[in-house]
Amino acid sequence: MTTTLVLPGTLADEIATAAHNPLECAGVLLARRVDVGGEDRLLGRSLHWVPQAAYKEQSPHHMMIRSEGYVGALGAAEADGAIPIWFHTHPGEGGVPLPSKHDRQVDRDIADLFQLRSGSGVYATLIASPRGERFAFSGELTPEGGPTTLIDRVWIVGERWRLIQNFARQASAPDVIFDRNVRAFGPDIQAVLGDLRVAIVGSGGTGSAVAEQLVRLGVRHLLLIDNDTLSESNVTRVYGSTPDDISKAKVEVLRSHLTRIAPNLVGSTIQGMTTFKSIAKALRAVDLVFGCTDDNAGRLVLSRLSTFLLTPVIDVGILLSSDRNGALIGIDGRITTLTPGAGCLVCRNRVDMARAAAEMRTPEERKKLADEGYAPALGQVEPAVVAFTTAVAAAAVNELLDRLIGYGPAERPTETLLRLHEREISTNRAVPRDGHYCHPGTGKWGAGDEEPFLGQLWGAE
């Protein structure tokens, strides 16, 4: 069991600021719990700070707090269906974010109150100390009557993406095969790549190129989702495929190829579509999704992940245009990064809603509506060339690396547009529309398993 606390950048900034306070301070972090079998995720919702008047004592090494400083937050946790996490700091750049004897006594004193008043049946803790601009942490999760487990990781999704391991965990040195990577961006980023849980939706020309680049970079936890089998024309673009693989599931062809590159790859596959609720729910267990699908209905599902699950999505698209004589005149690529605070694909008008609605219907319904002119025709074969799908895939992987490493501008764009035929690149930023689900004011950030799942209706499977 691995437990990950996911924090939008705004909450992570509050914790970092508190950690740099020279005096110990405390609050209650509310988080929705998502249990996905071997992965337990806590989705940060809000932080309720202890009011200054509630401190009986406060120094760099000690604090005492009246119960009124945190009881109100327990009621807020119950109203939100959230777990209250008792958070406090151990100040000083050399501070050790591990529980002291006094901390353990406080845990014993307040654990039952936190479990009962919040209705969550869980007591959780988080301790932070300053480290550079950010913080180091330790944390624990104790279900009522159950064993205490560590909060293993904190995954921060803001302008930058940061994965922080529990202070009690010992980091291992990177494998020697990554020497050139480490020379470029250091051992810490290499360790992050090795621990990231990544899903790739779509195992075609773009998805397979993204997958191979990620594995060669050091990603070792990968979920591949695609509904299709390999066709003859796919062999010209799908990395690792050969004519012998025709008619095999794309995800299995790709996993087999990636495992030859990295025998220690923890790779899983799903042959299916994310428009099915059961398959979409598998994405709850990952840290990051690359959207390499060409269907609009699937994009509508992925577009919601960064809001409801705080899971960043790097959505990739490419369009080849020809004139009336069939000559290639346009090579347009798009990399859209969806993260809390950025406009979703709907806000950006990057989804064809009519096609998405048609794609959600049965094949018989699609044909009837298309024949009657009420829906766009589906199943048309679009042009694709390996050089161009690979170029767009590389730009998508670059987006991940920049978010982790920080070599780009401080205010990062959330979309990159490639016009390969003109040798041009442009970027832009888009914010959520007022009242839309991705807007912070709607309360949908970190909603988790709230029904309906991802805030949408699902068809029969």
Side-chain angles (χ1 to χ4, degrees):
M1 170 71 78
T2 299
T3 298
T4 302
L5 172 62
V6 188
L7 296 175
T10 50
L11 291 185
D13 288 344
E14 287 191 57
I15 290 174
T17 299
H20 285 81
N21 189 325
L23 303 179
E24 283 198 18
C25 53
V28 180
L29 171 65
L30 304 192
R32 294 261 180 102
R33 186 181 185 186
V34 178
D35 185 353
V36 200
E39 297 285 341
D40 208 356
R41 300 181 77 80
L42 307 176
L43 310 181
R45 298 271 287 172
S46 59
L47 245 174
H48 299 253
W49 293 103
V50 172
Q52 193 60 44
Y55 287 94
K56 291 195 292 184
E57 297 179 20
Q58 188 181 22
S59 76
H61 308 292
H62 181 71
M63 65 180 176
M64 293 184 67
I65 297 170
R66 299 180 181 86
S67 61
E68 60 263 29
Y70 51 79
V71 168
L74 305 183
E78 182 177 32
D80 193 46
I83 291 173
I85 301 174
W86 176 239
F87 164 71
H88 71 280
T89 64
H90 286 178
E93 187 61 34
V96 178
L98 293 174
S100 64
K101 289 183 179 179
H102 176 71
D103 294 333
R104 291 300 190 193
Q105 183 58 52
V106 170
D107 292 340
R108 289 189 288 269
D109 292 342
I110 68 175
D112 288 345
L113 177 65
F114 268 57
Q115 291 173 347
L116 292 172
R117 291 293 291 269
S118 69
S120 67
V122 174
Y123 178 65
T125 62
L126 187 73
I127 304 172
S129 294
R131 287 297 184 276
E133 296 180 354
R134 307 309 299 176
F135 59 88
F137 86 97
S138 73
E140 296 178 346
L141 186 73
T142 307
E144 188 175 10
T148 296
T149 59
L150 291 181
I151 296 176
D152 301 280
R153 331 152 68 230
V154 169
W155 175 227
I156 300 171
V157 288
E159 282 287 332
R160 288 277 303 278
W161 299 339
R162 292 178 169 88
L163 184 62
I164 309 172
Q165 297 290 338
N166 191 304
F167 188 81
R169 299 284 194 193
Q170 293 293 323
S172 57
D175 193 298
V176 67
I177 67 171
F178 299 118
D179 175 67
R180 295 296 186 93
N181 290 0
V182 171
R183 290 172 186 268
F185 44 66
D188 291 345
I189 296 299
Q190 191 63 56
V192 168
L193 289 169
D195 194 50
L196 273 182
R197 277 69 167 157
V198 181
I200 301 175
V201 179
S203 295
T206 307
S208 65
V210 166
E212 176 154 342
Q213 290 179 50
L214 291 178
V215 169
R216 292 190 184 278
L217 280 167
V219 171
R220 289 298 180 264
H221 301 268
L222 206 56
L223 169 62
L224 305 174
I225 301 177
D226 196 299
N227 190 51
D228 294 335
T229 56
L230 195 78
S231 68
E232 289 181 305
S233 66
N234 291 151
V235 177
T236 64
R237 297 183 316 285
V238 174
Y239 279 72
S241 67
T242 71
D244 290 339
D245 297 315
I246 292 170
S247 298
K248 295 179 183 178
K250 284 183 178 179
V251 288
E252 297 302 336
V253 172
L254 183 54
R255 177 170 64 173
S256 177
H257 171 60
L258 298 174
T259 303
R260 288 194 295 272
I261 297 171
N264 61 338
L265 176 69
V266 181
S268 56
T269 62
I270 298 176
Q271 188 175 6
M273 301 171 65
T274 55
T275 49
F276 292 135
K277 184 178 179 180
S278 61
I279 295 176
K281 279 199 163 188
L283 296 171
R284 296 176 302 165
V286 304
D287 302 316
L288 169 74
V289 175
F290 281 87
C292 302
T293 178
D294 57 4
D295 69 296
N296 289 267
R299 280 200 168 101
L300 278 181
V301 173
L302 298 185
S303 184
R304 292 172 174 264
L305 296 181
S306 65
T307 296
F308 289 83
L309 297 177
L310 303 180
T311 304
V313 175
I314 299 177
D315 186 70
V316 181
I318 184 167
L319 176 66
L320 305 187
S321 307
S322 303
D323 63 18
R324 64 180 62 188
N325 298 316
L328 183 64
I329 58 172
I331 309 163
D332 294 279
R334 174 184 58 79
I335 300 93
T336 306
T337 303
L338 308 178
T339 195
C344 69
L345 293 177
V346 176
C347 288
R348 293 174 174 275
N349 296 315
R350 295 307 187 196
V351 176
D352 186 325
M353 302 300 287
R355 289 185 67 89
E359 288 164 355
M360 293 293 287
R361 296 179 178 274
T362 65
E364 294 77 15
E365 290 173 332
R366 294 178 190 174
K367 185 177 186 307
K368 181 179 179 182
L369 288 173
D371 290 344
E372 295 173 354
Y374 291 114
L378 301 176
Q380 297 176 347
V381 178
E382 300 292 342
V385 177
V386 65
F388 309 142
T389 53
T390 301
V392 177
V397 174
N398 171 71
E399 185 64 32
L400 167 63
L401 292 175
D402 179 29
R403 295 272 174 169
L404 293 176
I405 300 168
Y407 50 75
E411 189 175 79
R412 285 165 180 79
T414 52
E415 189 169 70
T416 300
L417 302 176
L418 308 177
R419 290 176 292 280
L420 298 178
H421 56 293
E422 296 177 343
R423 280 75 167 178
E424 288 185 357
I425 300 176
S426 63
T427 62
N428 63 73
R429 291 173 63 94
V431 296
R433 298 174 186 170
D434 289 342
H436 202 242
Y437 68 78
C438 59
H439 193 282
T442 62
K444 297 303 181 183
W445 284 23
D449 279 335
E450 181 180 88
E451 288 294 337
F453 182 58
L454 297 183
Q456 69 171 44
L457 299 177
W458 299 86
E461 299 190 24

